[in-house]
Amino acid sequence: MGLPRSTFLRFAALVFLLQLVGAALLLATVHQLTQDQIGDEAEAHAEQLRDQFLHSYRQGGFAALGAAVAARAQPGRAPGAALLLVDRDGRAVAGNIAEWPPSLPPSATAATLDLFRIGHEQSEQIYLVATPLAGGGRLLTGHVVESELRFTVILEEAMVSAFAVAVALAAFAAWSSTRLIHGRLAATVGTARAVAAGHLDRRVPVDGSDDAFDALGIAINAMLDRIAALMAELKIATDGLAHDLRSPLTRLRSTLERALDASEGEEARGAVARAIDEGDRLLTMLDTALRISRAEAGLGRESFVDLDLSAMVEDMVEVYGPLAEDNGFEIVADAPPGITGHVHRELLGQALANLIDNAMKYGAGRIVVAARRTPAGDTVISVGDDGPGIPEAQRPEALRRFGRLDAARSKAGAGLGLALAAAVARLHDGALELHDNGPGLRVELHLAH
């Protein structure tokens, strides 16, 4: 099984393992140092006793050594000492140990054994130093380490408990560190998503800590400031373009209208009338393209108002009712009362009008304009018809700007109606969806609550 792909999980695992290894190394070091200290102190006691007895041995021989050992072995003289002097035949001469331990080979110089001392009912852990004597005898000196070893056992149990706590703390450290990083990045991700949805005024919060997250937030905010400035320039440019183009086109239309009035021949009047229609179509395309650009740039949210969408649907159906009837359609509303939204009234009305126009151009039979609230609280406004619909493979083309599914272009239009509706949906943090209406096409405008 490979490592998880999530960077957060990898980081959490790394923090957890480092904390765990650090705690294990610390506890192992403390345990080893404690063991070494106990061993060193016991060895020093045993060797100190041995040196004292060897001094007596050098001064008075084996008999003096035996007397010294016997004297030191008396109760109360050396509470923690273990002593034994044996002759060349291995018989005990003096001391508080009855006989030479069978588990201690003659060649051994030091060992820790579990032995009984004379006058003690229980065995004890004793660190022993064996010293051979020149005359063939052997001297055994030692120090009882029972209490030190019991302390070591208690220490080991405490270390096990401490390690369990270290595991829990390591897990908490891993979790808290990833939560801290996730929290700092979540603000940046949230800002990026809000800007992508058109909220160009959102910025990444910075706390002045001058750390990497603060530097990232400052850099992103600088980028967003630049984008906002460019968008403001775009707004000025598009507004100027719209004004500059609309004025000459309007004057051209007025001129054509005067030319139409002055024309006498039927052919000339027809040509002028077609020129006026093309001019109107060009003005409509220009206006729609500018509306799409401004909506995609998130411009216009300042004009959002609270609106009764149920009433809006009813009004649209009432307005389009006569036109639909003249074109052989039946148009009905299906919007329960009480559906409201915070929307751009003009753009949403234009988008809904485009969808109804498309239904009358390409649909057939009954047109249903509906509004409903989703369980998530979003609002869906839809226009459905009983026409041939749009095959699923061609729907992306239908949503593209200037996209025309009518190759012969037999129907009037610039291919901007659905594109504008989609841009309006995105302006409201929603989306435009095309569905089969069984039969026909149902276009849904999803608006965020």
Side-chain angles (χ1 to χ4, degrees), residues 156-242:
E156 289 173 349
E157 293 174 351
M159 285 181 175
V160 171
S161 300
F163 189 75
V165 174
V167 171
L169 291 177
F172 177 75
W175 176 81
S176 59
S177 58
T178 52
R179 290 296 302 171
L180 176 63
I181 295 175
H182 182 271
R184 294 296 301 269
L185 289 180
T188 304
V189 172
T191 300
R193 286 176 175 168
V195 172
H199 301 282
L200 299 181
D201 58 335
R202 289 285 296 275
R203 294 294 182 269
V204 178
V206 295
D207 56 11
S209 59
D210 290 333
D211 58 9
F213 293 105
D214 234 30
L216 176 63
I218 292 172
I220 291 178
N221 287 343
M223 178 184 67
L224 293 177
D225 289 341
R226 177 59 177 159
I227 292 175
L230 292 175
M231 295 306 299
E233 294 175 2
L234 173 65
K235 179 178 182 298
I236 296 173
T238 54
D239 288 347
L241 179 64

Side-chain angles (χ1 to χ4, degrees), residues 226-308:
R226 177 59 177 159
I227 292 175
L230 292 175
M231 295 306 299
E233 294 175 2
L234 173 65
K235 179 178 182 298
I236 296 173
T238 54
D239 288 347
L241 179 64
H243 180 269
D244 293 343
L245 286 179
R246 188 179 297 278
S247 295
L249 286 173
T250 302
R251 290 196 296 272
L252 175 63
R253 192 181 192 287
S254 299
T255 303
L256 288 173
E257 287 176 345
R258 290 196 295 273
L260 179 63
D261 294 338
S263 299
E264 296 181 352
E266 190 64 28
E267 184 177 351
R269 290 180 60 82
V272 175
R274 288 194 296 274
I276 292 174
D277 290 341
E278 290 299 324
D280 290 342
R281 183 167 175 267
L282 181 59
L283 278 170
T284 301
M285 288 176 60
L286 173 64
D287 184 66
T288 304
L290 289 173
R291 283 171 179 259
I292 293 174
S293 298
R294 291 172 64 87
E296 294 286 13
L299 302 177
R301 285 195 171 87
E302 67 280 0
S303 301
F304 277 24
V305 296
D306 293 329
L307 188 64
D308 187 336

Side-chain angles (χ1 to χ4, degrees), residues 373-378 449:
R373 189 79 79 184
T374 68
D378 295 340
H449 60 280

Side-chain angles (χ1 to χ4, degrees), residues 6-262:
S6 169
T7 302
F8 280 120
L9 285 179
R10 292 184 180 187
F11 180 76
L14 178 63
V15 172
F16 179 75
L17 288 177
L18 289 178
Q19 292 277 344
L20 215 57
V21 170
L25 288 176
L26 176 62
L27 294 176
T29 301
V30 171
H31 181 267
Q32 188 60 45
L33 290 175
T34 304
Q35 291 280 25
D36 292 345
Q37 182 66 23
I38 291 174
D40 291 344
E41 289 185 357
E43 183 180 8
H45 283 300
E47 291 181 349
Q48 185 180 13
L49 280 174
R50 180 199 61 189
D51 294 343
Q52 291 173 0
F53 290 133
L54 289 180
H55 177 73
S56 300
Y57 179 67
R58 286 192 292 270
Q59 293 292 326
F62 190 81
L65 175 58
V69 172
R72 183 65 66 90
Q74 294 297 317
R77 291 291 305 276
L83 305 171
L84 178 62
L85 176 64
V86 298
D87 60 15
R88 66 177 60 186
D89 298 325
R91 292 190 298 269
V93 175
N96 57 5
I97 297 177
E99 61 180 0
W100 192 268
S103 56
L104 183 64
S107 59
T109 57
T112 299
L113 299 176
D114 191 38
L115 298 176
F116 282 92
R117 288 192 296 168
I118 297 173
H120 293 262
E121 297 180 352
Q122 295 182 344
S123 63
E124 301 166 301
Q125 291 287 324
I126 304 174
Y127 181 84
L128 299 168
V129 173
T131 306
L133 302 175
R138 286 180 291 170
L139 174 65
L140 192 63
T141 57
H143 181 74
V144 176
V145 293
E146 184 69 23
S147 59
E148 288 85 348
L149 293 180
R150 281 202 300 270
F151 171 74
T152 302
V153 172
I154 295 173
L155 181 62
E156 289 173 349
E157 293 174 351
M159 285 181 175
V160 171
S161 300
F163 189 75
V165 174
V167 171
L169 291 177
F172 177 75
W175 176 81
S176 59
S177 58
T178 52
R179 290 296 302 171
L180 176 63
I181 295 175
H182 182 271
R184 294 296 301 269
L185 289 180
T188 304
V189 172
T191 300
R193 286 176 175 168
V195 172
H199 301 282
L200 299 181
D201 58 335
R202 289 285 296 275
R203 294 294 182 269
V204 178
V206 295
D207 56 11
S209 59
D210 290 333
D211 58 9
F213 293 105
D214 234 30
L216 176 63
I218 292 172
I220 291 178
N221 287 343
M223 178 184 67
L224 293 177
D225 289 341
R226 177 59 177 159
I227 292 175
L230 292 175
M231 295 306 299
E233 294 175 2
L234 173 65
K235 179 178 182 298
I236 296 173
T238 54
D239 288 347
L241 179 64
H243 180 269
D244 293 343
L245 286 179
R246 188 179 297 278
S247 295
L249 286 173
T250 302
R251 290 196 296 272
L252 175 63
R253 192 181 192 287
S254 299
T255 303
L256 288 173
E257 287 176 345
R258 290 196 295 273
L260 179 63
D261 294 338

